[in-house]
Amino acid sequence: MAAHLCPLHPCLSAINMAMEITQVLLSAQSPDGHTRTLAEANLKQFQEQNLPLFLLSLSVELSSEQKPPESRRLAGIILKNSLDAKDAVRKEELTQRWVSVEPSIKSQIKESLLRTLGSSVSDARQTSSQVIAKVASIEVPRREWQELIGLLLNNMTQPDAPAPLKQSTLEALGYVCEEVSPQDLEQDQVNAILTAVVQGMNQTEHSSEVRLAAVKALYNALDFAQTNFENEVERNFIMKVVCETTMSKESEIRQAAIECLVSIASTYYEYLEPYMQTLFNLTANAVRGDEEPVALQAIEFWSSICDEEIQIQEEFGEDNGESSSPHSNFIKQALPTLVPLMLETLLKQEEDQDQEDGVWNLSMAGGTCLGLIARTVGDAVVPLVMPFVENNITKGDWRSREAATFAFGSILEGPSIEKLAPLVHSGLEFLLNAMKDQNSHVKDTTAWTLGRIFEFLHSAGGEYPILTATNLPHIMSVLLESIRDSPNVAEKVCGAIYFLAQGFEDAGSSSSILTPYLGDTVSALLSTADRTDPSNVRLRSSAYETLNEIVRCSSIPETSNMVAHLLHEIMNRLSKTLELHIASLEDREKQGDLQALLCGVLQVILQKLSNSTEAKPIILQSADQMMILFLQVFACRSSTVHEEAMLAIGALAYATGPEFAKYMQEFYKYLEMGLQNFEEYQVCSISVGVVGDICRALDDKVLPYCDGIMSQLLKDLSSPMLHRSVKPPIFSCFGDIALAIGEHFEKYVPYVIPMLQGAAELCSHLDVNDDDMQEYGNQLRRGIFEAYSGILQGFKGPKAALMVPCASPLLSFIEAVVRDKNRDEEVTKAAVAVMGDLADTLGPNTKILFKDCTFHMELLGECFRSDSDQLKETATWTQGMIQRVLVL
Amino acid sequence: MTPQEGRRPIKRSTVSDQQRRRELALVRQAQQRSDSQNRARRLASSVLGLHSSPEPALPDDAIEPEQAPELNWAQTEADLTESEVPARDLNVVQASKLRGREARRWFAHQLMLPEWMIDVPPHLDRDWYVFARPAGNRCFVVSSNGTTISRLRNGSVLHHFPSSLPNGSRTRDMSGPASSYSILDCIFHEPNQTYYVIDMVCWRGYSLYDCTAEFRFFWLNSKLAESGACNSPSTYHRYTFSVVPIYDCDQAGLRAAYSSVVPYVKDGLLFYNKHAHYQTGNTPLALVWKDNYCSEYFLDTDSKGLVPTQQQVVLEMQDDGRLTTSDDPPVVFGCVEADFIQKSGLQAGNLLRFAIRDESVSLIDGKLEIGDLQFVSKVNRARAFADSYSKVFFQYAARHSPLRIEDLAASVQPTFLLKRIVPVFGRLPWKFCTDGRDAGLLVIHIPIPSEKG
């Protein structure tokens, strides 16, 4: 034994290693740390010396029935980790390594894996099915290992195949479906998978383990079954099997079967019509009588139907007739029976449900579904719910009162304000009094309902004012009293105040009816943030965030004094966080969280005050102190910068303008740190935005920092590690820099232009069928245009000639973008603008280009027909620029 | 138990204030980026935020546009007089939306006003155009949204009519957007009811402010005719527009402008520097010159149409009693005493007419100074501006030793004489600029007129 624990002698061959691998794998799981470390080093060395042999040895280990289960299991896990990683770069690297392994070795490995599916050791079988899926995820998209599905199907159809083999085969099929995408499989492969799965679901033939594995595999395979669902016979068959499976005697299988129905509801909504009666009956039974996990899935089925119908309504408009819209109005049809079903669930609360956030039980799922139903059908839900509310809200037991309130709160989004306003008017007083109910759940839901009323129905100056000078005093006194209630109630009260303030955002002068209460409200929120209840973390952030909304929605200059006081209070609190005693990582984290909330408030105050000439001096007086605080907050951490402090600094730069120059020397290192933060891409993205703020604030005074900033931004762009969403803003940021420093941008041109051209090239290769990619493409295009615009405008004058070589490629790119139907209005505006910038800056140099192309006329025409004044105005300017060039 | 992935419990807060802060910060940054780019493009309207105010519908032809909408501006009126937002900082897009007093205020400052020629500029034949000024009122003609409005130099409306200018009437289906506007600098000639276009400021929404005169005249000549605006009047085109012949200011051009027959009554010659942009207010890069041959208005006339025996000037009284010209910066010609202001009820900003005795005028270092101003009357309110320094000077010279056409012709003699500057008063540079110093501040005694209060 001892011999195996020695470091490997360099001349010890990989072959020896392969022979000894069992022992090393066992040692790697030893309780003794030293033994473990040594074994891990041995494995690593083996892997580096001879990867193919390493992988092969692991697969042999995994498949050998005579080896200990522990070493087989670890061999499988290491094998799996040699094929896949979370990190995309690492994953690609592993993929390439596998691809380059000699085919004969790879096929030996795959053979071992398939053989292991029939092992008597369940750990080995399970691990093997996962490894098979990982290999498939590499090979199937490359059209390799095409025989895999056939071999797996074969396992299912052999008359004498043992149950464990079938179970692990079905698991393997499920994992494969999870790993590969529908376009990677041929239809006959999909058919084979479905055949194998449906076969496995057969109740008469199989054990519960096999059937459960089959239902789960079906769940994963549903995405592949488009063609099969289009065929009525096959569709009927699949639906029949799934519906039968929902009647299984094992609840886990029933749950998995309804999960399949949930997935079918969203993927194949348009085929559901003939099955709806059956589906209603079986889900209703499940909701009323089945175990909770099954009942929850049954409610989820209806929530998914609501999701689909809401989405269709959003896409096609509500009353868009039968012709174009695939809407089947399932919810409307089921309404008279569906609503009572959901109302029943509301009475099934748990005793202590409000103690944790996002609790999920029958009552919560039912209320969530009721809310979706209200959004789907609007007014029609109201008469079905109100009797329940009225009958229960005054009852003696808390469950009835809570359920009644919850029902009312759930339907406040969706129905028209005309329908709801009278109900709210007559019920508001009752709800305010219910904030004194003896039951905490009732108070929690009541406060939440008040918040929903303010969120969806209250807007100052609206046609049906909910809040008036008459009822506001009572409302405010109740809220400010209840904010001292238990933490869960107080948190809902914060939410109510948040939306109450929000409703006054666009009020203009009428906001003054809230103004008299703001002072007390702000103090109450500050005290709430200071509460020391055990679960105060969430409450504290709610209190600060509500404070933010109050600042955003208050009317300046009316409230300037209040905001100025708040500014000093928050700065004070922020400086106290710097004195906190930090003994552990946890302390550091808590300090950071508190600083985040406080910097957030400062950011909101900065943005609010700097939009008003009267109030701006308040910021300028405290700018130095604030900046010192932010720098100290940064200094609390060594490797990362504080995201919220960074956001606040952007707002400060905007407020101070050129004055910000004096902070730059101190601030620069943190800015650079932010730009280097690949891992937390939000931080990087915010830092990029702050560069823009600084450019606009400092203009050419930013020049001394540009070399550093530019080289970091260029590094960011070339990094495959950085989240792609940060890249478009970096391009826009180039434009900001160029506009700020004008002709000094010249030295960056040789680096920036190829980047822009590369990105433009990339735009034409993005997958147009992928919504996310389309969105990304639009962001990228806008970023590219904004970069060119900034550079062109910055170079107007003697340096303009530098951009002449770019004119033709840029114009071609604009044309390509214009021809793309998926561009959004922001892209169009940026495209029109940059075209004008080309003509404006390069003048006669572009005459031939514009003369030779006609698309700019079409684009301008399109812009003139648009409803956006900004777009029209930009287009008018561009037209002028181009015409001027053309007549020269 | 936890909900299905993607299902949010209805009671869980929807608000992530942090995400909201990020998004609001992004919105702010995008807005500011767009503002700074637009500033670079001189598209100032989105910066000033005026575009978001609903565009007031243009009144029907029957409604006098000076009336009703005035109230809408009542609020901003106060701010504007206080802070005096410089009207020229608005751009033409916004200006086209102004109504009533605001519009008058804006348009009153938009014309490019030539200085009077008191000396011949160098390179006259190389750098300048010349043309015969039609007699009549200078005005701005704006066509947009299906109607055309002409405004006099003081900003008041002269005519409100349909025309064939782009978007100048409601009948034409124009290629551009209906809101795109055109602005022409014209002289309305009463005898033949024609608008003579002497400059083009905007055409189909395309601003020509920053274009050279050379380009503007080229554009004017090529665009105006094709719009149909030069056609004879019709239902949808009430007045004819016409261009005037513009010449390079060489010998032949000067002769043609001076003596050739044109279909309108001439009122002097206008000289435009080819390289100058359209600059609002007084500019030495456009010049007016007159003599008795080419103008009926060589010497200023009084209200009865007679040439007064003594030269008269119109000056603006400042709040400290100083009397100034319309130049920027103004030239001070004198001062009225406080007790006179009190007795006469005059207010700062009033325009006052004075007579000057020849012998009280002196030329010191090329500057005209007036020793004695004799109050004649207050000037009627329709007049928006005091005389410019160059006008006072020109009128003085006209009465004593006028700049003659021969002097002009001499300056455009053949090449070897090109560089020669023809002096009028010997010491004056051609382009004199007042440097803002007081030109001899004199306290004068003004007899209070006995009857004409």
Side-chain angles (χ1 to χ4, degrees):
Chain A
M1 262 270 274
H4 301 303
L5 301 180
C6 296
L8 280 180
H9 191 270
C11 69
L12 189 62
S13 72
I15 303 291
N16 288 340
M17 182 65 206
M19 292 165 67
E20 292 167 0
I21 195 156
T22 307
Q23 192 50 52
V24 180
L25 286 167
L26 291 174
S27 300
Q29 300 171 75
S30 156
D32 176 61
H34 178 69
T35 312
R36 228 171 30 240
T37 318
L38 206 54
E40 281 162 8
N42 285 345
L43 286 169
K44 196 160 191 289
Q45 194 182 357
F46 185 12
Q47 182 176 25
E48 281 162 9
Q49 275 182 359
N50 191 336
L51 181 75
L53 187 56
F54 177 67
L55 297 176
L56 183 61
S57 311
L58 291 172
S59 73
V60 169
E61 184 77 15
L62 175 63
S63 65
S64 306
E65 290 291 303
Q66 63 276 25
K67 298 282 184 178
E70 297 76 24
S71 68
R72 295 176 69 183
R73 194 177 136 272
L74 185 58
I77 290 171
I78 297 176
L79 200 48
K80 194 176 84 177
N81 293 341
S82 307
L83 295 165
D84 192 15
K86 279 203 180 112
D87 176 66
V89 178
R90 170 93 182 129
K91 181 177 176 156
E92 182 54 28
E93 200 181 309
L94 294 174
T95 300
Q96 288 312 322
R97 276 203 229 161
W98 172 260
V99 169
S100 60
V101 171
E102 192 191 321
S104 68
I105 293 191
K106 281 192 289 195
S107 67
Q108 284 182 63
I109 293 174
K110 289 186 280 190
E111 219 167 281
S112 303
L113 290 172
L114 285 167
R115 200 165 53 240
T116 313
L117 288 178
S119 163
S120 57
V121 178
S122 75
D123 262 359
R125 291 198 304 271
Q126 272 171 12
T127 320
S128 174
S129 62
Q130 289 172 21
V131 180
I132 287 172
K134 296 295 175 197
V135 175
S137 80
I138 297 175
E139 299 205 335
V140 170
R142 292 177 160 74
R143 294 291 182 261
E144 292 164 5
W145 210 10
Q146 292 296 295
E147 66 280 17
L148 170 66
I149 306 292
L151 291 170
L152 292 174
L153 176 62
N154 201 31
N155 285 349
M156 293 304 296
T157 48
Q158 269 175 350
D160 53 345
L165 174 63
K166 288 187 173 174
Q167 185 192 348
S168 50
T169 299
L170 288 165
E171 281 167 1
L173 283 169
Y175 294 138
V176 169
C177 289
E178 248 179 327
E179 293 285 341
V180 304
S181 44
Q183 69 265 22
D184 293 333
L185 289 183
E186 304 295 341
Q187 184 58 40
D188 58 345
Q189 292 174 312
V190 174
N191 292 343
I193 292 173
L194 289 173
T195 308
V197 166
V198 169
Q199 162 110 109
M201 286 166 76
N202 188 328
Q203 298 208 42
T204 53
E205 274 182 39
H206 297 303
S207 67
S208 61
E209 289 82 8
V210 172
R211 284 186 286 124
L212 182 59
V215 188
K216 288 187 168 169
L218 176 64
Y219 180 85
N220 286 326
L222 280 171
D223 276 351
F224 296 78
Q226 179 68 42
T227 311
N228 310 82
F229 262 84
E230 286 165 10
N231 176 321
E232 194 189 341
V233 177
E234 298 188 15
R235 181 173 69 231
N236 283 339
F237 185 67
I238 296 173
M239 290 304 290
K240 179 170 165 285
V241 172
V242 177
C243 289
E244 280 169 7
T245 310
T246 66
M247 307 295 175
S248 302
K249 53 184 186 302
E250 301 85 354
S251 71
E252 221 186 331
I253 297 181
R254 293 199 300 275
Q255 183 190 344
I258 300 184
E259 268 178 69
C260 287
L261 290 178
V262 171
S263 167
I264 290 170
S266 53
T267 316
Y268 302 111
Y269 171 88
E270 66 270 35
Y271 301 116
L272 284 184
E273 179 87 64
Y275 316 108
M276 276 319 271
Q277 190 57 52
T278 311
L279 292 173
F280 181 84
N281 293 340
L282 70 87
T283 50
N285 287 337
V287 171
R288 293 210 166 96
D290 212 326
E291 290 166 37
E292 192 179 29
V294 186
L296 288 175
Q297 277 307 318
I299 297 174
E300 181 61 26
F301 172 80
W302 289 101
S303 293
S304 296
I305 297 282
C306 289
D307 286 345
E308 286 309 305
E309 299 199 340
I310 291 169
Q311 201 190 338
I312 292 167
Q313 280 157 209
E314 277 168 4
E315 270 175 38
F316 294 87
E318 301 259 347
D319 310 308
N320 205 9
E322 310 72 48
S323 54
S324 59
S325 132
H327 204 307
S328 306
N329 293 310
F330 293 141
I331 297 297
K332 208 181 252 176
Q333 292 174 41
L335 208 56
T337 38
L338 187 59
V339 169
L341 180 66
M342 292 306 153
L343 291 173
E344 277 173 42
T345 65
L346 301 189
L347 289 157
K348 298 179 180 169
Q349 303 98 329
E350 291 171 293
E351 275 302 336
D352 54 353
Q353 63 175 8
D354 292 318
Q355 297 313 310
E356 54 172 314
D357 188 31
V359 64
W360 195 240
N361 55 34
L362 278 180
S363 155
M364 201 55 64
T368 303
C369 186
L370 188 59
L372 290 166
I373 292 171
R375 285 176 56 203
T376 312
V377 301
D379 287 358
V381 81
V382 177
L384 294 168
V385 171
M386 283 318 287
F388 178 84
V389 176
E390 285 151 11
N391 290 336
N392 287 288
I393 204 156
T394 50
K395 279 195 181 160
D397 74 308
W398 73 265
R399 287 176 192 277
S400 302
R401 296 198 303 278
E402 196 277 339
T405 315
F406 193 21
F408 185 60
S410 298
I411 59 164
L412 290 170
E413 186 187 10
S416 63
I417 187 159
E418 292 90 329
K419 189 88 179 171
L420 292 172
L423 299 175
V424 167
H425 276 300
S426 55
L428 189 60
E429 199 64 22
F430 185 94
L431 289 172
L432 292 172
N433 292 330
M435 288 308 294
K436 297 191 184 73
D437 198 290
Q438 72 254 30
N439 181 278
S440 173
H441 296 311
V442 175
K443 288 189 282 185
D444 184 285
T445 302
T446 304
W448 170 78
T449 301
L450 287 170
R452 298 262 296 177
I453 290 174
F454 302 148
E455 181 176 7
F456 297 111
L457 303 176
H458 148 57
S459 101
E463 204 182 330
Y464 297 88
I466 298 293
L467 295 177
T468 61
T470 325
N471 62 20
L472 194 58
H474 189 196
I475 293 173
M476 292 312 295
S477 83
V478 168
L479 292 176
L480 295 190
E481 197 184 320
S482 299
I483 203 172
R484 296 199 297 264
D485 210 317
S486 58
N488 58 305
V489 175
E491 196 195 331
K492 302 292 191 301
V493 171
C494 286
I497 298 174
Y498 189 104
F499 291 115
L500 186 145
Q502 193 170 75
F504 284 110
E505 184 162 20
D506 305 314
S509 58
S510 68
S511 73
S512 54
I513 74 163
L514 185 61
T515 305
Y517 302 96
L518 290 183
D520 287 347
T521 311
V522 166
S523 325
L525 288 166
L526 287 170
S527 331
T528 305
D530 286 338
R531 277 170 68 157
T532 49
D533 312 61
S535 62
N536 77 333
V537 178
R538 237 171 47 222
L539 178 57
R540 190 173 65 186
S541 70
S542 297
Y544 279 123
E545 296 185 343
T546 302
L547 217 42
N548 291 342
E549 194 62 10
I550 285 187
V551 172
R552 280 190 205 109
C553 303
S554 67
S555 63
I556 302 286
E558 198 178 41
T559 57
S560 302
N561 274 339
M562 181 202 83
V563 178
H565 277 125
L566 182 60
L567 172 68
H568 292 120
E569 171 62 24
I570 299 291
M571 283 168 63
N572 200 12
R573 288 178 176 220
L574 185 56
S575 85
K576 282 189 185 139
T577 66
L578 301 167
E579 296 151 15
L580 288 173
H581 177 67
I582 307 294
S584 64
L585 267 179
E586 202 193 335
D587 288 349
R588 177 67 72 203
E589 200 175 312
K590 277 186 183 162
Q591 181 197 37
D593 290 346
L594 182 54
Q595 289 171 338
L597 293 168
L598 294 167
C599 288
V601 182
L602 290 178
Q603 186 221 339
V604 172
I605 293 176
L606 280 166
Q607 196 153 337
K608 182 74 187 181
L609 295 185
S610 53
N611 282 329
S612 144
T613 11
E614 298 102 318
K616 210 169 175 176
I618 300 172
I619 302 176
L620 302 181
Q621 283 156 17
S622 304
D624 287 355
Q625 274 173 288
M626 246 186 289
M627 194 63 198
I628 291 169
L629 280 172
F630 293 145
L631 292 170
Q632 285 171 328
V633 169
F634 281 139
C636 289
R637 301 193 195 169
S638 52
S639 58
T640 58
V641 293
H642 201 289
E643 177 182 347
E644 292 283 348
M646 192 56 99
L647 266 177
I649 284 178
L652 185 66
Y654 166 54
T656 56
E659 288 291 296
F660 193 83
K662 62 182 170 186
Y663 309 129
M664 271 309 280
Q665 204 161 7
E666 276 298 305
F667 170 57
Y668 178 73
K669 66 175 171 198
Y670 298 112
L671 180 63
E672 195 166 60
M673 223 188 255
L675 293 175
Q676 283 163 349
N677 198 336
F678 293 139
E679 293 79 20
E680 297 164 276
Y681 71 90
Q682 292 276 20
V683 174
C684 187
S685 168
I686 283 162
S687 307
V688 171
V690 169
V691 171
D693 282 328
I694 290 172
C695 287
R696 285 182 288 275
L698 299 189
D699 269 326
D700 55 355
K701 288 208 193 75
V702 76
L703 191 58
Y705 305 96
C706 282
D707 281 354
I709 292 172
M710 281 301 295
S711 74
Q712 196 50 54
L713 291 176
L714 289 165
K715 246 185 255 170
D716 285 351
L717 273 183
S718 346
S719 163
M721 306 260 290
L722 184 62
H723 193 276
R724 66 166 197 241
S725 70
V726 188
K727 299 189 176 180
I730 291 180
F731 287 123
S732 305
C733 188
F734 285 154
D736 297 337
I737 295 172
L739 203 55
I741 64 174
E743 58 188 35
H744 299 293
F745 197 79
E746 178 178 358
K747 61 176 164 180
Y748 308 125
V749 165
Y751 306 97
V752 169
I753 297 296
M755 290 276 193
L756 288 171
Q757 287 171 347
E761 174 71 17
L762 176 70
C763 283
S764 60
H765 297 309
L766 293 177
D767 179 2
V768 288
N769 298 315
D770 181 337
D771 287 352
D772 284 349
M773 279 326 229
Q774 243 179 54
E775 168 69 25
Y776 179 61
N778 278 331
Q779 289 167 358
L780 206 52
R781 288 162 175 163
R782 188 172 155 197
I784 295 168
F785 289 146
E786 284 176 344
Y788 276 116
S789 280
I791 298 171
L792 284 164
Q793 286 299 339
F795 279 173
K796 207 148 92 180
K799 294 283 181 190
L802 280 170
M803 291 301 285
V804 170
C806 301
S808 176
L810 174 55
L811 212 56
S812 312
F813 177 55
I814 299 173
E815 179 165 12
V817 172
V818 167
R819 302 259 178 256
D820 178 4
K821 295 288 162 284
N822 295 320
R823 77 191 133 92
D824 61 25
E825 187 179 300
E826 290 299 324
V827 171
T828 307
K829 192 172 154 225
V832 172
V834 78
M835 217 159 68
D837 294 329
L838 257 184
D840 185 18
T841 298
L842 300 185
N845 291 304
T846 54
K847 181 175 178 175
I848 294 175
L849 293 174
F850 281 113
K851 220 170 169 178
D852 288 350
C853 76
T854 50
F855 80 90
H856 72 262
M857 318 267 275
E858 297 160 34
L859 178 61
L860 288 171
E862 180 193 316
C863 295
F864 290 137
R865 287 189 299 275
S866 123
D867 294 329
S868 153
D869 284 345
Q870 273 198 18
L871 186 55
K872 281 192 232 177
E873 202 174 300
T874 308
T876 305
W877 177 81
T878 295
Q879 187 186 40
M881 288 301 127
I882 295 176
Q883 281 175 351
R884 182 163 67 174
V885 165
L886 289 179
V887 299
L888 284 173
Chain B
M1 205 150 308
T2 55
Q4 182 101 350
E5 196 182 319
R7 174 72 54 219
R8 186 181 58 78
I10 194 167
K11 274 180 94 173
R12 183 182 286 170
S13 166
T14 43
V15 186
S16 160
D17 200 72
Q18 185 188 30
Q19 189 52 31
R20 185 134 188 257
R21 283 199 295 281
R22 280 190 196 123
E23 281 162 10
L24 289 173
L26 284 178
V27 168
R28 174 181 63 75
Q29 285 165 345
Q31 184 56 46
Q32 278 153 8
R33 171 175 298 126
S34 154
D35 287 350
S36 23
Q37 292 196 341
N38 281 345
R39 251 195 306 276
R41 296 178 188 124
R42 288 178 222 193
L43 244 180
S45 66
S46 50
V47 176
L48 293 177
L50 277 189
H51 68 282
S52 58
S53 62
E55 193 171 330
L58 263 184
D60 286 336
D61 288 16
I63 302 171
E64 168 59 52
E66 303 296 306
Q67 306 294 324
E70 192 113 342
L71 278 176
N72 299 341
W73 292 97
Q75 257 185 321
T76 51
E77 179 77 9
D79 310 340
L80 277 173
T81 38
E82 274 310 302
S83 57
E84 200 57 44
V85 170
R88 70 187 59 171
D89 285 358
L90 294 179
N91 72 16
V92 285
V93 184
Q94 295 148 10
S96 69
K97 294 171 187 169
L98 295 178
R99 296 291 176 267
R101 201 178 333 170
E102 282 308 311
R104 284 202 298 280
R105 186 194 301 279
W106 192 81
F107 281 101
H109 290 91
Q110 291 312 300
L111 280 171
M112 175 157 90
L113 303 171
E115 285 189 0
W116 290 68
M117 186 190 282
I118 47 188
D119 190 4
V120 182
H123 313 310
L124 191 62
D125 49 357
R126 200 176 67 198
D127 292 340
W128 294 72
Y129 290 120
V130 64
F131 58 93
R133 182 194 190 281
N137 282 320
R138 266 298 277 296
C139 53
F140 245 170
V141 176
V142 179
S143 71
S144 83
N145 278 321
T147 191
T148 308
I149 298 176
S150 58
R151 289 178 182 273
L152 296 174
R153 194 185 149 184
N154 64 11
S156 66
V157 171
L158 174 64
H159 296 129
H160 189 173
F161 59 103
S163 77
S164 299
L165 292 173
N167 294 316
S169 74
R170 299 185 177 201
T171 56
R172 310 255 319 211
D173 181 27
M174 298 310 302
S175 51
S179 60
S180 101
Y181 47 84
S182 301
I183 302 179
L184 303 175
D185 182 347
C186 300
I187 292 168
F188 183 67
H189 194 61
E190 282 285 346
N192 61 3
Q193 296 285 300
T194 296
Y195 278 96
Y196 285 96
V197 186
I198 60 170
D199 211 331
M200 183 176 262
V201 182
C202 286
W203 189 253
R204 292 190 196 281
Y206 167 32
S207 166
L208 293 133
Y209 276 96
D210 295 325
C211 301
T212 61
E214 192 170 16
F215 178 74
R216 296 197 309 276
F217 290 155
F218 162 75
W219 198 259
L220 168 60
N221 276 306
S222 51
K223 295 294 166 187
L224 189 69
E226 76 187 33
S227 73
C230 303
N231 299 345
S232 312
S234 60
T235 320
Y236 297 110
H237 182 54
R238 194 168 301 158
Y239 298 101
T240 298
F241 286 76
S242 180
V243 291
V244 297
I246 296 172
Y247 306 98
D248 281 326
C249 194
D250 52 23
Q251 261 187 333
L254 187 62
R255 189 183 304 121
Y258 186 71
S259 52
S260 67
V261 178
V262 282
Y264 53 85
V265 180
K266 291 181 194 174
D267 180 18
L269 299 180
L270 282 170
F271 297 81
Y272 274 62
N273 186 294
K274 292 179 182 177
H275 313 297
H277 291 187
Y278 196 95
Q279 183 191 337
T280 59
N282 291 320
T283 172
L285 297 178
L287 298 167
V288 57
W289 173 90
K290 297 179 183 183
D291 72 0
N292 265 324
Y293 172 81
C294 71
S295 172
E296 293 172 17
Y297 311 100
F298 174 48
L299 291 181
D300 265 3
T301 53
D302 62 15
S303 50
K304 300 181 194 94
L306 301 171
V307 176
T309 47
Q310 286 187 331
Q311 184 182 351
Q312 296 190 345
V313 296
V314 173
L315 299 172
E316 181 177 349
M317 190 182 75
Q318 303 298 327
D319 45 12
D320 57 1
R322 290 191 300 171
L323 298 165
T324 60
T325 64
S326 64
D327 300 273
D328 181 25
V331 175
V332 180
F333 272 139
C335 189
V336 282
E337 283 174 332
D339 56 327
F340 171 72
I341 299 176
Q342 266 184 347
K343 279 181 214 156
S344 60
L346 295 174
Q347 286 175 351
N350 280 162
L351 299 180
L352 308 176
R353 185 183 294 277
F354 297 94
I356 47 180
R357 286 181 297 112
D358 287 351
E359 53 274 29
S360 77
V361 176
S362 54
L363 283 165
I364 299 166
D365 285 343
K367 281 189 184 143
L368 185 80
E369 291 184 3
I370 304 170
D372 191 10
L373 291 166
Q374 291 174 331
F375 183 71
V376 176
S377 63
K378 248 175 93 176
V379 176
N380 113 33
R381 298 181 80 189
R383 180 157 178 168
F385 303 101
D387 285 340
S388 66
Y389 175 85
S390 66
K391 177 172 181 189
V392 176
F393 205 144
F394 185 91
Q395 286 291 324
Y396 178 80
R399 286 165 179 263
H400 300 91
S401 80
L403 181 62
R404 295 162 305 147
I405 187 67
E406 293 79 9
D407 300 323
L408 293 178
S411 70
V412 292
Q413 285 291 330
T415 322
F416 69 95
L417 285 174
L418 265 185
K419 294 277 150 71
R420 198 182 139 212
I421 301 171
V422 179
V424 184
F425 293 105
R427 299 181 297 249
L428 280 178
W430 74 271
K431 176 187 166 183
F432 76 96
C433 294
T434 53
D435 60 6
R437 269 187 304 135
D438 293 340
L441 201 65
L442 299 172
V443 179
I444 51 168
H445 300 278
I446 301 172
I448 300 168
S450 48
E451 279 160 3
K452 301 176 194 170

